[in-house]
Amino acid sequence: IAAALVGRGAKVVVSGRAESLARSTAEELTGRGPGEAVGVPGDVRDPGFCETLVGRAVERFGRLDILVNNAGVGVFAKIQDMAAADWDTQIRTNLDAVFYCSKAAAPHLIASGRGWIVNIASLAGRTAHSGSVAYSATKWGLVGMSEVMMEDLRHDGVRVTCVMPGSVDTDFSGHPTRDVSWKLTPDDVAQGVIDLLEFPPRALPSRLEIRPSRPPRG
């Protein structure tokens, strides 16, 4: 998503917990151009850092127009096997971090006059799967949070959209599969975000579901 934005000339701040990766990613994206990227390492589960992150973006570029909440983690186990610490990690990352970042960004997005928040949820936010008790709970919660945020901010000129991808070919699950040709790619999801951002100001696409066209037959 960051690469797609930079590729269209946007000035982007990327963040992650690993300092070297945040900075090398920003350097790589800036090298591609025509936009620019800055890496700010930190943990979005910390509300203080979220304030700092937004402040750095505004200080560097003068304004904030778009917030993409894409940090996420999944630990998959049935409820009888889910460790309390793993539950807490997913709640803090997939829900708390979205709240902290959005709250910090909201005043600046309102000030921009045409702000946008894009929350990356999942099709797990509407479909129950055994073994995903915490992950599904957070994504169902994020879908609901997004709808409330939309109502809170729409009359202040800020649009909120929830993007819900299906299976995407990343290392998120930690369990690589042999055949991934049927899965979505990160570029597919990025294209969906770019298409949303190109909607005219009068239109508010509040939810986007993206799924593989031809998954394996169940």
Side-chain angles (χ1 to χ4, degrees), residues 88-140:
D88 184 62
T89 295
Q90 292 171 90
I91 294 291
R92 291 182 60 213
T93 306
N94 299 354
L95 281 178
D96 290 355
V98 175
F99 170 76
Y100 297 145
C101 287
S102 299
K103 180 175 174 59
H108 301 283
L109 296 170
I110 292 170
S112 78
R114 291 178 59 176
W116 208 313
I117 297 175
V118 179
N119 293 328
I120 308 299
S122 169
L123 289 178
R126 63 177 297 239
T127 305
H129 296 282
S130 177
S132 62
V133 59
Y135 184 74
S136 289
T138 61
K139 294 306 182 179
W140 282 68

mmCIF file of all heavy atoms in Angstrom, residues 88-140:
data_model
loop_
_atom_site.group_PDB
_atom_site.id
_atom_site.type_symbol
_atom_site.label_atom_id
_atom_site.label_comp_id
_atom_site.label_asym_id
_atom_site.label_seq_id
_atom_site.Cartn_x
_atom_site.Cartn_y
_atom_site.Cartn_z
ATOM 1 N N ASP A 88 -4.344 -11.203 24.451
ATOM 2 C CA ASP A 88 -4.055 -9.797 24.752
ATOM 3 C C ASP A 88 -3.252 -9.150 23.636
ATOM 4 O O ASP A 88 -3.522 -8.001 23.249
ATOM 5 C CB ASP A 88 -3.294 -9.705 26.077
ATOM 6 C CG ASP A 88 -3.039 -8.278 26.511
ATOM 7 O OD1 ASP A 88 -4.027 -7.541 26.738
ATOM 8 O OD2 ASP A 88 -1.870 -7.878 26.612
ATOM 9 N N THR A 89 -2.268 -9.859 23.087
ATOM 10 C CA THR A 89 -1.449 -9.312 22.009
ATOM 11 C C THR A 89 -2.297 -8.952 20.798
ATOM 12 O O THR A 89 -2.111 -7.898 20.176
ATOM 13 C CB THR A 89 -0.358 -10.316 21.600
ATOM 14 O OG1 THR A 89 0.543 -10.497 22.695
ATOM 15 C CG2 THR A 89 0.425 -9.818 20.389
ATOM 16 N N GLN A 90 -3.237 -9.806 20.455
ATOM 17 C CA GLN A 90 -4.073 -9.544 19.284
ATOM 18 C C GLN A 90 -5.052 -8.391 19.514
ATOM 19 O O GLN A 90 -5.265 -7.563 18.632
ATOM 20 C CB GLN A 90 -4.812 -10.829 18.885
ATOM 21 C CG GLN A 90 -3.859 -11.885 18.344
ATOM 22 C CD GLN A 90 -4.513 -13.226 18.146
ATOM 23 O OE1 GLN A 90 -5.033 -13.505 17.072
ATOM 24 N NE2 GLN A 90 -4.497 -14.060 19.178
ATOM 25 N N ILE A 91 -5.627 -8.333 20.700
ATOM 26 C CA ILE A 91 -6.519 -7.210 21.027
ATOM 27 C C ILE A 91 -5.759 -5.902 20.972
ATOM 28 O O ILE A 91 -6.212 -4.909 20.377
ATOM 29 C CB ILE A 91 -7.149 -7.401 22.412
ATOM 30 C CG1 ILE A 91 -8.092 -8.617 22.422
ATOM 31 C CG2 ILE A 91 -7.882 -6.135 22.841
ATOM 32 C CD1 ILE A 91 -9.349 -8.439 21.619
ATOM 33 N N ARG A 92 -4.572 -5.878 21.551
ATOM 34 C CA ARG A 92 -3.791 -4.636 21.617
ATOM 35 C C ARG A 92 -3.329 -4.187 20.231
ATOM 36 O O ARG A 92 -3.299 -2.992 19.939
ATOM 37 C CB ARG A 92 -2.586 -4.827 22.544
ATOM 38 C CG ARG A 92 -2.951 -4.981 24.011
ATOM 39 C CD ARG A 92 -1.701 -5.116 24.862
ATOM 40 N NE ARG A 92 -0.869 -3.929 24.717
ATOM 41 C CZ ARG A 92 0.464 -3.947 24.759
ATOM 42 N NH1 ARG A 92 1.113 -5.087 24.890
ATOM 43 N NH2 ARG A 92 1.136 -2.832 24.649
ATOM 44 N N THR A 93 -2.961 -5.141 19.382
ATOM 45 C CA THR A 93 -2.444 -4.792 18.056
ATOM 46 C C THR A 93 -3.562 -4.504 17.065
ATOM 47 O O THR A 93 -3.524 -3.504 16.337
ATOM 48 C CB THR A 93 -1.564 -5.931 17.509
ATOM 49 O OG1 THR A 93 -0.546 -6.248 18.463
ATOM 50 C CG2 THR A 93 -0.916 -5.526 16.195
ATOM 51 N N ASN A 94 -4.556 -5.363 17.021
ATOM 52 C CA ASN A 94 -5.569 -5.279 15.971
ATOM 53 C C ASN A 94 -6.698 -4.313 16.280
ATOM 54 O O ASN A 94 -7.402 -3.883 15.363
ATOM 55 C CB ASN A 94 -6.159 -6.673 15.713
ATOM 56 C CG ASN A 94 -5.120 -7.679 15.255
ATOM 57 O OD1 ASN A 94 -3.974 -7.330 15.017
ATOM 58 N ND2 ASN A 94 -5.512 -8.931 15.147
ATOM 59 N N LEU A 95 -6.894 -3.976 17.561
ATOM 60 C CA LEU A 95 -7.953 -3.046 17.930
ATOM 61 C C LEU A 95 -7.412 -1.790 18.606
ATOM 62 O O LEU A 95 -7.677 -0.668 18.159
ATOM 63 C CB LEU A 95 -8.963 -3.732 18.858
ATOM 64 C CG LEU A 95 -9.990 -4.653 18.201
ATOM 65 C CD1 LEU A 95 -10.878 -5.303 19.265
ATOM 66 C CD2 LEU A 95 -10.857 -3.886 17.215
ATOM 67 N N ASP A 96 -6.662 -1.978 19.701
ATOM 68 C CA ASP A 96 -6.173 -0.806 20.443
ATOM 69 C C ASP A 96 -5.345 0.110 19.553
ATOM 70 O O ASP A 96 -5.507 1.341 19.587
ATOM 71 C CB ASP A 96 -5.318 -1.244 21.644
ATOM 72 C CG ASP A 96 -6.130 -1.903 22.737
ATOM 73 O OD1 ASP A 96 -7.375 -1.940 22.626
ATOM 74 O OD2 ASP A 96 -5.519 -2.398 23.712
ATOM 75 N N ALA A 97 -4.461 -0.458 18.750
ATOM 76 C CA ALA A 97 -3.577 0.362 17.918
ATOM 77 C C ALA A 97 -4.365 1.187 16.910
ATOM 78 O O ALA A 97 -4.012 2.338 16.617
ATOM 79 C CB ALA A 97 -2.555 -0.519 17.198
ATOM 80 N N VAL A 98 -5.440 0.612 16.365
ATOM 81 C CA VAL A 98 -6.267 1.361 15.430
ATOM 82 C C VAL A 98 -6.914 2.552 16.132
ATOM 83 O O VAL A 98 -6.962 3.666 15.594
ATOM 84 C CB VAL A 98 -7.351 0.453 14.814
ATOM 85 C CG1 VAL A 98 -8.287 1.259 13.925
ATOM 86 C CG2 VAL A 98 -6.709 -0.673 14.016
ATOM 87 N N PHE A 99 -7.400 2.324 17.345
ATOM 88 C CA PHE A 99 -7.991 3.417 18.111
ATOM 89 C C PHE A 99 -6.956 4.509 18.396
ATOM 90 O O PHE A 99 -7.210 5.699 18.186
ATOM 91 C CB PHE A 99 -8.570 2.892 19.423
ATOM 92 C CG PHE A 99 -8.980 3.972 20.378
ATOM 93 C CD1 PHE A 99 -10.154 4.696 20.167
ATOM 94 C CD2 PHE A 99 -8.193 4.296 21.469
ATOM 95 C CE1 PHE A 99 -10.532 5.713 21.041
ATOM 96 C CE2 PHE A 99 -8.562 5.301 22.346
ATOM 97 C CZ PHE A 99 -9.732 6.015 22.134
ATOM 98 N N TYR A 100 -5.771 4.113 18.866
ATOM 99 C CA TYR A 100 -4.753 5.102 19.224
ATOM 100 C C TYR A 100 -4.321 5.930 18.016
ATOM 101 O O TYR A 100 -4.211 7.154 18.091
ATOM 102 C CB TYR A 100 -3.521 4.408 19.834
ATOM 103 C CG TYR A 100 -3.776 3.669 21.116
ATOM 104 C CD1 TYR A 100 -3.080 2.486 21.404
ATOM 105 C CD2 TYR A 100 -4.698 4.123 22.050
ATOM 106 C CE1 TYR A 100 -3.294 1.795 22.579
ATOM 107 C CE2 TYR A 100 -4.922 3.425 23.231
ATOM 108 C CZ TYR A 100 -4.217 2.259 23.482
ATOM 109 O OH TYR A 100 -4.439 1.568 24.649
ATOM 110 N N CYS A 101 -4.045 5.257 16.893
ATOM 111 C CA CYS A 101 -3.598 5.976 15.697
ATOM 112 C C CYS A 101 -4.704 6.880 15.148
ATOM 113 O O CYS A 101 -4.452 8.020 14.750
ATOM 114 C CB CYS A 101 -3.136 4.991 14.622
ATOM 115 S SG CYS A 101 -1.554 4.209 14.954
ATOM 116 N N SER A 102 -5.920 6.370 15.132
ATOM 117 C CA SER A 102 -7.026 7.148 14.577
ATOM 118 C C SER A 102 -7.339 8.360 15.444
ATOM 119 O O SER A 102 -7.622 9.451 14.924
ATOM 120 C CB SER A 102 -8.269 6.263 14.440
ATOM 121 O OG SER A 102 -8.022 5.175 13.575
ATOM 122 N N LYS A 103 -7.293 8.181 16.741
ATOM 123 C CA LYS A 103 -7.550 9.298 17.650
ATOM 124 C C LYS A 103 -6.483 10.383 17.482
ATOM 125 O O LYS A 103 -6.794 11.580 17.462
ATOM 126 C CB LYS A 103 -7.580 8.815 19.102
ATOM 127 C CG LYS A 103 -7.851 9.921 20.125
ATOM 128 C CD LYS A 103 -7.987 9.354 21.517
ATOM 129 C CE LYS A 103 -8.107 10.458 22.554
ATOM 130 N NZ LYS A 103 -9.276 11.356 22.320
ATOM 131 N N ALA A 104 -5.223 9.959 17.342
ATOM 132 C CA ALA A 104 -4.146 10.928 17.153
ATOM 133 C C ALA A 104 -4.255 11.643 15.816
ATOM 134 O O ALA A 104 -3.948 12.835 15.701
ATOM 135 C CB ALA A 104 -2.791 10.214 17.260
ATOM 136 N N ALA A 105 -4.712 10.912 14.791
ATOM 137 C CA ALA A 105 -4.760 11.478 13.443
ATOM 138 C C ALA A 105 -5.984 12.330 13.187
ATOM 139 O O ALA A 105 -5.954 13.235 12.337
ATOM 140 C CB ALA A 105 -4.709 10.342 12.413
ATOM 141 N N ALA A 106 -7.082 12.066 13.888
ATOM 142 C CA ALA A 106 -8.366 12.690 13.565
ATOM 143 C C ALA A 106 -8.318 14.217 13.465
ATOM 144 O O ALA A 106 -8.825 14.787 12.484
ATOM 145 C CB ALA A 106 -9.430 12.244 14.560
ATOM 146 N N PRO A 107 -7.725 14.939 14.427
ATOM 147 C CA PRO A 107 -7.722 16.398 14.304
ATOM 148 C C PRO A 107 -7.019 16.893 13.046
ATOM 149 O O PRO A 107 -7.461 17.869 12.418
ATOM 150 C CB PRO A 107 -6.987 16.862 15.573
ATOM 151 C CG PRO A 107 -7.134 15.735 16.535
ATOM 152 C CD PRO A 107 -7.116 14.500 15.695
ATOM 153 N N HIS A 108 -5.954 16.233 12.648
ATOM 154 C CA HIS A 108 -5.204 16.649 11.460
ATOM 155 C C HIS A 108 -5.962 16.291 10.176
ATOM 156 O O HIS A 108 -5.924 17.044 9.197
ATOM 157 C CB HIS A 108 -3.830 15.991 11.461
ATOM 158 C CG HIS A 108 -3.017 16.320 12.676
ATOM 159 N ND1 HIS A 108 -2.369 17.525 12.844
ATOM 160 C CD2 HIS A 108 -2.771 15.594 13.803
ATOM 161 C CE1 HIS A 108 -1.745 17.532 14.008
ATOM 162 N NE2 HIS A 108 -1.969 16.377 14.602
ATOM 163 N N LEU A 109 -6.636 15.143 10.179
ATOM 164 C CA LEU A 109 -7.438 14.765 9.021
ATOM 165 C C LEU A 109 -8.617 15.713 8.839
ATOM 166 O O LEU A 109 -8.971 16.082 7.717
ATOM 167 C CB LEU A 109 -7.929 13.323 9.173
ATOM 168 C CG LEU A 109 -6.835 12.249 9.188
ATOM 169 C CD1 LEU A 109 -7.423 10.896 9.591
ATOM 170 C CD2 LEU A 109 -6.144 12.146 7.829
ATOM 171 N N ILE A 110 -9.222 16.114 9.939
ATOM 172 C CA ILE A 110 -10.311 17.096 9.876
ATOM 173 C C ILE A 110 -9.788 18.417 9.323
ATOM 174 O O ILE A 110 -10.422 19.056 8.474
ATOM 175 C CB ILE A 110 -10.947 17.289 11.265
ATOM 176 C CG1 ILE A 110 -11.687 16.009 11.687
ATOM 177 C CG2 ILE A 110 -11.888 18.483 11.271
ATOM 178 C CD1 ILE A 110 -12.137 16.012 13.134
ATOM 179 N N ALA A 111 -8.606 18.811 9.785
ATOM 180 C CA ALA A 111 -8.021 20.080 9.334
ATOM 181 C C ALA A 111 -7.695 20.053 7.849
ATOM 182 O O ALA A 111 -7.722 21.100 7.183
ATOM 183 C CB ALA A 111 -6.761 20.391 10.139
ATOM 184 N N SER A 112 -7.390 18.873 7.305
ATOM 185 C CA SER A 112 -7.042 18.792 5.884
ATOM 186 C C SER A 112 -8.244 19.064 4.990
ATOM 187 O O SER A 112 -8.084 19.438 3.826
ATOM 188 C CB SER A 112 -6.459 17.422 5.546
ATOM 189 O OG SER A 112 -7.475 16.439 5.430
ATOM 190 N N GLY A 113 -9.441 18.843 5.531
ATOM 191 C CA GLY A 113 -10.652 19.107 4.769
ATOM 192 C C GLY A 113 -11.125 17.942 3.933
ATOM 193 O O GLY A 113 -12.294 17.886 3.548
ATOM 194 N N ARG A 114 -10.232 17.002 3.627
ATOM 195 C CA ARG A 114 -10.594 15.837 2.813
ATOM 196 C C ARG A 114 -9.818 14.616 3.301
ATOM 197 O O ARG A 114 -9.181 13.914 2.530
ATOM 198 C CB ARG A 114 -10.317 16.086 1.330
ATOM 199 C CG ARG A 114 -11.236 17.104 0.686
ATOM 200 C CD ARG A 114 -10.901 17.357 -0.775
ATOM 201 N NE ARG A 114 -10.972 16.147 -1.586
ATOM 202 C CZ ARG A 114 -10.796 16.139 -2.910
ATOM 203 N NH1 ARG A 114 -10.539 17.272 -3.554
ATOM 204 N NH2 ARG A 114 -10.875 15.010 -3.586
ATOM 205 N N GLY A 115 -9.888 14.377 4.605
ATOM 206 C CA GLY A 115 -9.126 13.282 5.176
ATOM 207 C C GLY A 115 -9.759 11.927 4.936
ATOM 208 O O GLY A 115 -10.939 11.813 4.590
ATOM 209 N N TRP A 116 -8.937 10.889 5.123
ATOM 210 C CA TRP A 116 -9.428 9.533 4.892
ATOM 211 C C TRP A 116 -8.711 8.574 5.842
ATOM 212 O O TRP A 116 -7.496 8.627 6.007
ATOM 213 C CB TRP A 116 -9.153 9.098 3.453
ATOM 214 C CG TRP A 116 -10.142 8.083 2.939
ATOM 215 C CD1 TRP A 116 -10.569 6.953 3.579
ATOM 216 C CD2 TRP A 116 -10.839 8.132 1.696
ATOM 217 N NE1 TRP A 116 -11.482 6.300 2.806
ATOM 218 C CE2 TRP A 116 -11.673 6.984 1.646
ATOM 219 C CE3 TRP A 116 -10.841 9.010 0.615
ATOM 220 C CZ2 TRP A 116 -12.498 6.689 0.568
ATOM 221 C CZ3 TRP A 116 -11.651 8.726 -0.463
ATOM 222 C CH2 TRP A 116 -12.479 7.588 -0.494
ATOM 223 N N ILE A 117 -9.487 7.690 6.482
ATOM 224 C CA ILE A 117 -8.934 6.593 7.278
ATOM 225 C C ILE A 117 -9.299 5.289 6.601
ATOM 226 O O ILE A 117 -10.475 5.033 6.317
ATOM 227 C CB ILE A 117 -9.468 6.600 8.725
ATOM 228 C CG1 ILE A 117 -9.029 7.880 9.450
ATOM 229 C CG2 ILE A 117 -8.969 5.370 9.485
ATOM 230 C CD1 ILE A 117 -9.609 8.018 10.851
ATOM 231 N N VAL A 118 -8.292 4.460 6.325
ATOM 232 C CA VAL A 118 -8.505 3.145 5.732
ATOM 233 C C VAL A 118 -8.062 2.103 6.748
ATOM 234 O O VAL A 118 -6.882 2.027 7.103
ATOM 235 C CB VAL A 118 -7.716 2.975 4.418
ATOM 236 C CG1 VAL A 118 -7.940 1.579 3.844
ATOM 237 C CG2 VAL A 118 -8.122 4.049 3.405
ATOM 238 N N ASN A 119 -9.002 1.321 7.239
ATOM 239 C CA ASN A 119 -8.707 0.262 8.203
ATOM 240 C C ASN A 119 -8.665 -1.083 7.470
ATOM 241 O O ASN A 119 -9.636 -1.465 6.822
ATOM 242 C CB ASN A 119 -9.783 0.207 9.283
ATOM 243 C CG ASN A 119 -9.782 1.439 10.166
ATOM 244 O OD1 ASN A 119 -8.731 2.031 10.402
ATOM 245 N ND2 ASN A 119 -10.949 1.823 10.663
ATOM 246 N N ILE A 120 -7.537 -1.774 7.578
ATOM 247 C CA ILE A 120 -7.401 -3.077 6.928
ATOM 248 C C ILE A 120 -7.880 -4.156 7.899
ATOM 249 O O ILE A 120 -7.208 -4.480 8.874
ATOM 250 C CB ILE A 120 -5.951 -3.345 6.492
ATOM 251 C CG1 ILE A 120 -5.414 -2.177 5.650
ATOM 252 C CG2 ILE A 120 -5.884 -4.663 5.720
ATOM 253 C CD1 ILE A 120 -6.172 -1.912 4.367
ATOM 254 N N ALA A 121 -9.052 -4.682 7.629
ATOM 255 C CA ALA A 121 -9.632 -5.733 8.463
ATOM 256 C C ALA A 121 -9.407 -7.075 7.769
ATOM 257 O O ALA A 121 -8.286 -7.373 7.350
ATOM 258 C CB ALA A 121 -11.112 -5.465 8.713
ATOM 259 N N SER A 122 -10.451 -7.859 7.615
ATOM 260 C CA SER A 122 -10.316 -9.184 7.017
ATOM 261 C C SER A 122 -11.709 -9.752 6.782
ATOM 262 O O SER A 122 -12.673 -9.368 7.466
ATOM 263 C CB SER A 122 -9.539 -10.112 7.961
ATOM 264 O OG SER A 122 -9.613 -11.458 7.541
ATOM 265 N N LEU A 123 -11.814 -10.683 5.841
ATOM 266 C CA LEU A 123 -13.069 -11.414 5.704
ATOM 267 C C LEU A 123 -13.360 -12.239 6.952
ATOM 268 O O LEU A 123 -14.501 -12.663 7.171
ATOM 269 C CB LEU A 123 -13.036 -12.307 4.473
ATOM 270 C CG LEU A 123 -13.102 -11.576 3.126
ATOM 271 C CD1 LEU A 123 -13.019 -12.576 1.978
ATOM 272 C CD2 LEU A 123 -14.383 -10.755 3.010
ATOM 273 N N ALA A 124 -12.342 -12.444 7.788
ATOM 274 C CA ALA A 124 -12.565 -13.084 9.089
ATOM 275 C C ALA A 124 -13.412 -12.199 9.993
ATOM 276 O O ALA A 124 -13.858 -12.659 11.055
ATOM 277 C CB ALA A 124 -11.234 -13.396 9.765
ATOM 278 N N GLY A 125 -13.625 -10.955 9.579
ATOM 279 C CA GLY A 125 -14.480 -10.046 10.331
ATOM 280 C C GLY A 125 -15.954 -10.234 10.033
ATOM 281 O O GLY A 125 -16.784 -9.462 10.537
ATOM 282 N N ARG A 126 -16.303 -11.227 9.239
ATOM 283 C CA ARG A 126 -17.719 -11.536 9.003
ATOM 284 C C ARG A 126 -17.988 -13.027 8.887
ATOM 285 O O ARG A 126 -19.136 -13.442 8.774
ATOM 286 C CB ARG A 126 -18.224 -10.835 7.741
ATOM 287 C CG ARG A 126 -17.558 -11.254 6.455
ATOM 288 C CD ARG A 126 -18.190 -10.543 5.279
ATOM 289 N NE ARG A 126 -19.591 -10.901 5.123
ATOM 290 C CZ ARG A 126 -20.091 -11.455 4.023
ATOM 291 N NH1 ARG A 126 -19.305 -11.692 2.995
ATOM 292 N NH2 ARG A 126 -21.359 -11.746 3.949
ATOM 293 N N THR A 127 -16.928 -13.840 8.909
ATOM 294 C CA THR A 127 -17.075 -15.284 8.780
ATOM 295 C C THR A 127 -16.341 -15.979 9.917
ATOM 296 O O THR A 127 -15.170 -15.676 10.173
ATOM 297 C CB THR A 127 -16.507 -15.775 7.432
ATOM 298 O OG1 THR A 127 -17.126 -15.050 6.373
ATOM 299 C CG2 THR A 127 -16.768 -17.261 7.247
ATOM 300 N N ALA A 128 -17.008 -16.877 10.596
ATOM 301 C CA ALA A 128 -16.400 -17.583 11.725
ATOM 302 C C ALA A 128 -15.633 -18.816 11.257
ATOM 303 O O ALA A 128 -16.118 -19.578 10.421
ATOM 304 C CB ALA A 128 -17.484 -18.005 12.712
ATOM 305 N N HIS A 129 -14.411 -18.974 11.780
ATOM 306 C CA HIS A 129 -13.588 -20.141 11.482
ATOM 307 C C HIS A 129 -13.062 -20.712 12.794
ATOM 308 O O HIS A 129 -12.522 -19.971 13.625
ATOM 309 C CB HIS A 129 -12.407 -19.776 10.585
ATOM 310 C CG HIS A 129 -12.803 -19.282 9.230
ATOM 311 N ND1 HIS A 129 -13.202 -20.132 8.223
ATOM 312 C CD2 HIS A 129 -12.867 -18.025 8.714
ATOM 313 C CE1 HIS A 129 -13.491 -19.429 7.140
ATOM 314 N NE2 HIS A 129 -13.295 -18.148 7.411
ATOM 315 N N SER A 130 -13.201 -21.989 12.979
ATOM 316 C CA SER A 130 -12.659 -22.626 14.169
ATOM 317 C C SER A 130 -11.159 -22.373 14.259
ATOM 318 O O SER A 130 -10.447 -22.426 13.255
ATOM 319 C CB SER A 130 -12.917 -24.130 14.122
ATOM 320 O OG SER A 130 -12.328 -24.781 15.242
ATOM 321 N N GLY A 131 -10.695 -22.077 15.455
ATOM 322 C CA GLY A 131 -9.276 -21.852 15.663
ATOM 323 C C GLY A 131 -8.842 -20.412 15.505
ATOM 324 O O GLY A 131 -7.648 -20.118 15.559
ATOM 325 N N SER A 132 -9.810 -19.502 15.312
ATOM 326 C CA SER A 132 -9.436 -18.086 15.146
ATOM 327 C C SER A 132 -10.192 -17.208 16.126
ATOM 328 O O SER A 132 -10.599 -16.107 15.797
ATOM 329 C CB SER A 132 -9.725 -17.634 13.711
ATOM 330 O OG SER A 132 -11.113 -17.722 13.421
ATOM 331 N N VAL A 133 -10.360 -17.705 17.343
ATOM 332 C CA VAL A 133 -11.226 -17.026 18.309
ATOM 333 C C VAL A 133 -10.789 -15.583 18.560
ATOM 334 O O VAL A 133 -11.618 -14.663 18.564
ATOM 335 C CB VAL A 133 -11.315 -17.817 19.632
ATOM 336 C CG1 VAL A 133 -9.943 -18.007 20.286
ATOM 337 C CG2 VAL A 133 -12.276 -17.149 20.595
ATOM 338 N N ALA A 134 -9.496 -15.348 18.746
ATOM 339 C CA ALA A 134 -9.031 -13.990 19.032
ATOM 340 C C ALA A 134 -8.944 -13.155 17.763
ATOM 341 O O ALA A 134 -9.379 -11.992 17.740
ATOM 342 C CB ALA A 134 -7.671 -14.036 19.724
ATOM 343 N N TYR A 135 -8.386 -13.739 16.720
ATOM 344 C CA TYR A 135 -8.230 -12.983 15.479
ATOM 345 C C TYR A 135 -9.580 -12.545 14.927
ATOM 346 O O TYR A 135 -9.781 -11.379 14.565
ATOM 347 C CB TYR A 135 -7.485 -13.833 14.453
ATOM 348 C CG TYR A 135 -7.198 -13.101 13.160
ATOM 349 C CD1 TYR A 135 -6.203 -12.134 13.106
ATOM 350 C CD2 TYR A 135 -7.922 -13.382 12.003
ATOM 351 C CE1 TYR A 135 -5.939 -11.454 11.927
ATOM 352 C CE2 TYR A 135 -7.660 -12.713 10.826
ATOM 353 C CZ TYR A 135 -6.674 -11.745 10.795
ATOM 354 O OH TYR A 135 -6.422 -11.064 9.617
ATOM 355 N N SER A 136 -10.523 -13.479 14.866
ATOM 356 C CA SER A 136 -11.847 -13.131 14.357
ATOM 357 C C SER A 136 -12.520 -12.092 15.240
ATOM 358 O O SER A 136 -13.179 -11.174 14.740
ATOM 359 C CB SER A 136 -12.719 -14.381 14.251
ATOM 360 O OG SER A 136 -12.280 -15.214 13.193
ATOM 361 N N ALA A 137 -12.370 -12.220 16.554
ATOM 362 C CA ALA A 137 -12.965 -11.247 17.461
ATOM 363 C C ALA A 137 -12.442 -9.836 17.174
ATOM 364 O O ALA A 137 -13.206 -8.865 17.162
ATOM 365 C CB ALA A 137 -12.687 -11.633 18.915
ATOM 366 N N THR A 138 -11.130 -9.746 16.922
ATOM 367 C CA THR A 138 -10.571 -8.415 16.659
ATOM 368 C C THR A 138 -11.042 -7.869 15.320
ATOM 369 O O THR A 138 -11.287 -6.657 15.183
ATOM 370 C CB THR A 138 -9.035 -8.429 16.685
ATOM 371 O OG1 THR A 138 -8.523 -9.300 15.666
ATOM 372 C CG2 THR A 138 -8.512 -8.869 18.041
ATOM 373 N N LYS A 139 -11.162 -8.719 14.323
ATOM 374 C CA LYS A 139 -11.573 -8.237 13.003
ATOM 375 C C LYS A 139 -13.067 -7.919 12.962
ATOM 376 O O LYS A 139 -13.482 -6.969 12.289
ATOM 377 C CB LYS A 139 -11.189 -9.252 11.926
ATOM 378 C CG LYS A 139 -9.670 -9.408 11.769
ATOM 379 C CD LYS A 139 -8.975 -8.068 11.530
ATOM 380 C CE LYS A 139 -7.484 -8.213 11.329
ATOM 381 N NZ LYS A 139 -6.801 -6.925 11.073
ATOM 382 N N TRP A 140 -13.896 -8.689 13.651
ATOM 383 C CA TRP A 140 -15.301 -8.309 13.789
ATOM 384 C C TRP A 140 -15.377 -6.965 14.505
ATOM 385 O O TRP A 140 -16.158 -6.084 14.121
ATOM 386 C CB TRP A 140 -16.082 -9.372 14.576
ATOM 387 C CG TRP A 140 -16.439 -10.585 13.800
ATOM 388 C CD1 TRP A 140 -15.583 -11.543 13.313
ATOM 389 C CD2 TRP A 140 -17.751 -11.001 13.414
ATOM 390 N NE1 TRP A 140 -16.279 -12.525 12.656
ATOM 391 C CE2 TRP A 140 -17.615 -12.227 12.704
ATOM 392 C CE3 TRP A 140 -19.034 -10.477 13.607
ATOM 393 C CZ2 TRP A 140 -18.704 -12.918 12.188
ATOM 394 C CZ3 TRP A 140 -20.124 -11.184 13.093
ATOM 395 C CH2 TRP A 140 -19.957 -12.374 12.392
#
